[in-house]
Amino acid sequence: MTFTRWLRIAVPVALTLCARTAVAQRDNVRWLDQCRENDRGWNDRYQYCEIRESGMRGGRGAKITADGGRNGGVAVGAWDRDSVAIVARIQTWARSGADAKALAATIRIVTDARSIRAEGPTSSGDDGGWSVSFDLVVPKKADLAIHTQNGGISVSEVQGTMDLSAQNGGLHLQALGGDVHAETRNGGLDVTLTGNRWEGKGLDAETTNGGIRLRVPESYSAMLETGTTNGSLDFDFPVTVQGRLNRRLSTQLGSGGAMVRAITHNGGVVVRRR
């Protein structure tokens, strides 16, 4: 490969990585500023905020597991590197500022066998507590297993086998591909499709209590299934339906293709062209 050809490839990649890094740094600064503005946080306890950055080998096609714990969310983006970047956003609260800072020092970010989680002391009720949210950047072709209890999950631009589950938190899925299963009990589904079709087996997303917002490109091809038990259906473009129209709808978009399924039991469904 000539130097000129290498330069044409390397410069755009470097600029993309620099731009992503700059955005991440701005997000971190913004989060710290907002967190520190309210140092008398939950239940009139003193709050302490800290960011820790680390990384680990990922491997394209590798399965990466992340656990948001009791009170943390997980956000995932993608890049062309064969590694995982980890930003841990730590919040603690206690009866004094010194106690909140000391509590943060006891929290460990554990990364082993491509598993990412936080470990810390058992919550002491009104006296103090902690949470850790993760912001990850993974290889574009990576398998994910992500779980949260009281926090949302956001994944964008990843293609792989994914198992995403939240107890209380919304799901934001953008520009994904592969075999994706996503579920939340209490939270909305926000899905943005990109390109001309779903690349992979398909999407199966469901919420028990929460609305759905689905954005579909004009020329998208897929088998779409959506609906609600208690709520309304709102499309801004015509669709063809076989049988009686009710709160569950199955239709072919374009020339068909992989199944894109997004279902809610208690909430409305809004589908928009983008």
Side-chain angles (χ1 to χ4, degrees), residues 134-263:
F134 291 106
D135 194 343
L136 313 176
V137 187
V138 306
K140 285 186 176 180
K141 293 187 180 296
D143 296 338
L144 302 176
I146 299 176
H147 172 72
T148 64
Q149 293 184 44
N150 297 299
I153 296 174
S154 172
V155 184
S156 62
E157 300 181 352
V158 181
Q159 292 192 358
T161 299
M162 301 178 217
D163 183 4
L164 316 173
S165 65
Q167 183 75 14
N168 299 299
L171 299 176
H172 297 264
L173 313 177
Q174 180 174 356
L176 302 186
D179 184 6
V180 181
H181 296 261
E183 180 179 7
T184 178
R185 183 179 296 275
N186 298 300
L189 288 176
D190 191 302
V191 181
T192 300
L193 305 175
T194 58
N196 295 320
R197 62 180 59 248
W198 185 275
E199 298 294 339
K201 187 174 181 179
L203 170 68
D204 186 358
E206 185 169 336
T207 175
T208 302
N209 299 301
I212 294 174
R213 188 169 186 86
L214 177 62
R215 300 172 184 85
V216 184
E218 189 75 30
S219 59
Y220 203 79
S221 293
M223 298 303 300
L224 173 64
E225 180 181 342
T226 189
T228 176
T229 304
N230 299 298
S232 61
L233 292 176
D234 181 2
F235 282 72
D236 72 346
F237 60 93
V239 293
T240 301
V241 180
Q242 293 184 346
R244 189 176 69 177
L245 178 63
N246 53 30
R247 290 192 177 95
R248 185 66 65 90
L249 180 149
S250 296
T251 188
Q252 177 175 308
L253 301 178
S255 59
M259 174 64 71
V260 174
R261 179 178 181 270
I263 300 293

